[in-house]
Amino acid sequence: MSNLVKVAVTGAAGQIGYALLFRLASGEAFGPDTRVALHLLEIPPALKAVEGVVMELNDCAFPLLDNIVITDDANVAFDGVNWALLVGAKPRGKGMERGDLIRENGPIFTTQGKALSKAASDLNVLVVGNPANTNALIAANNADGVPIERFHAMTRLDQNRAYAQLAEKAGVTVNDVSNVTIWGNHSATQYPDAENAKINGKPAYDVIGHHDWLRSEFITTVQKRGAAIIAARGLSSAASAANGAIDHVKSMVNKTPEGHWFSAAVPSDGSYGIAEGIIFSYPVTSDGQGNYSIVQGLSLSDWAKEKIAVTEAELRDERETVADLLK
Ligand code: NAD
Ligand code: LMR
């Protein structure tokens, strides 16, 4: 067993960090033949808590866990890493939108973006900290020498939420659902697309039948799921968010089966008429070697195009709001 993947996780003492690190160390994300080194970045007041998490990681005696670095210096954390999972950022509270965090969390991603220049040449970055799309844009713009295509923001949790809603409505399991796409921003404007989704290979619209539900409650439930969890738990999603990150990594390091895709917010190349450069969630496939392609040619109704225009406009506005943080 000679493969070694170095993975940086920021916000390692946070609630998502706690749900994520053990699954990374177990080998779940990178497979049974790959050892995992963890580079854990935190702010100084949280380093003690990280030490406790590391004690627990060691106490699991994970056979695939290689070594662990703890640091408050992004240059140390990102040195030579193949993956950077950028989780560390403030979560929103009740009554806030994720975009309300933009001026507080955005600056974190300038410093970290710069330090990502120290990473390995095959670096892939997943931004989880909110507002994830625009934080990814900030990091990408500050990371000299790292291709912008390596910066992704997480919409996999939204995709998983959409799968669960469709499966429940159709009375099937999530295994019977496929080809769901989250378009746009990880925010309340995202467009969860059931028009292209399938259930047991048939159009989800035909199987479910309730088109009113598909165009109203389904969409708003997925768009507002994060807020519903905050209202119920008093804290934002953590285990499901960590699960989304694991699923994203797994989808990237394995070749996507023919006819399938997954959702990830990636730099727009103008596909589907979206403004170039914003980090926009699209249907994507992976070649399993760290490269993705945006799925082309999906049909979108005029109604869907209107929804997509709204989420695109929000991301353009967010880009304006952080213009001073972009190089
Ligand atoms: P948390 O408050 O429990 O943990 C955040 C951690 O980040 C803290 O330990 C904090 O010390 C650390 N941190 C802050 N600034 C840092 C910096 N500059 N460098 C390194 N670490 C830093 O929050 P959480 O529940 O783990 O959520 C983290 C972020 O993920 C939030 O912004 C939240 O809104 C977001 N989130 C995104 C999704 C998604 O689907 N994209 C889902 C859930 C949560
Ligand atoms: C989520 O979708 O659960 C996270 O982005 C947390 C939040 O603020 O909703």
Side-chain angles (χ1 to χ4, degrees), residues 92 98 130 157 161 186 226-227 230 236-237:
R92 66 172 161 159
R98 299 176 186 95
N130 279 319
L157 172 56
R161 288 167 171 165
H186 173 63
I230 292 168
S236 58
S237 64

Side-chain angles (χ1 to χ4, degrees), residues 7 37 110 118 143 194 205 253 278:
V7 186
T110 57
K118 292 195 160 295
Y205 262 62
V253 301
I278 56 174

Side-chain angles (χ1 to χ4, degrees), residues 49 78 97 160 165 180 270 300 309 322:
F78 298 148
E97 287 299 330
N160 288 345
Q165 291 300 316
V180 179
L300 296 166
V322 300

Side-chain angles (χ1 to χ4, degrees), residues 15-16 90-93 96-98 101 128-132 154 157-158 161 186-187 190 222-230 235-238 240-241:
Q15 46 153 11
I16 296 175
K90 194 176 167 188
R92 66 172 161 159
M96 292 171 75
E97 287 299 330
R98 299 176 186 95
L101 297 164
V128 175
N130 279 319
M154 187 167 92
L157 172 56
D158 308 286
R161 288 167 171 165
H186 173 63
S187 77
Q190 67 180 268
V222 177
Q223 288 174 330
K224 296 181 181 166
R225 190 64 158 191
I229 289 166
I230 292 168
L235 288 169
S236 58
S237 64
S240 57

Side-chain angles (χ1 to χ4, degrees), residues 9-18 40-47 49-50 71-72 74 86-92 98 101 105 107-109 111-112 127-133 135 153-158 161 186 226 230 233 235-238 240-242 244-245:
V9 178
T10 72
Q15 46 153 11
I16 296 175
Y18 195 71
L40 308 182
L41 181 68
E42 258 295 351
I43 53 174
L47 287 176
V50 180
T71 180
D72 60 2
L86 306 187
V87 178
K90 194 176 167 188
R92 66 172 161 159
R98 299 176 186 95
L101 297 164
N105 284 342
I108 294 173
F109 296 86
T111 319
Q112 293 186 0
V127 177
V128 175
N130 279 319
N133 299 52
N135 289 338
M154 187 167 92
T155 51
R156 187 51 169 270
L157 172 56
D158 308 286
R161 288 167 171 165
H186 173 63
I230 292 168
R233 238 170 64 86
L235 288 169
S236 58
S237 64
S240 57

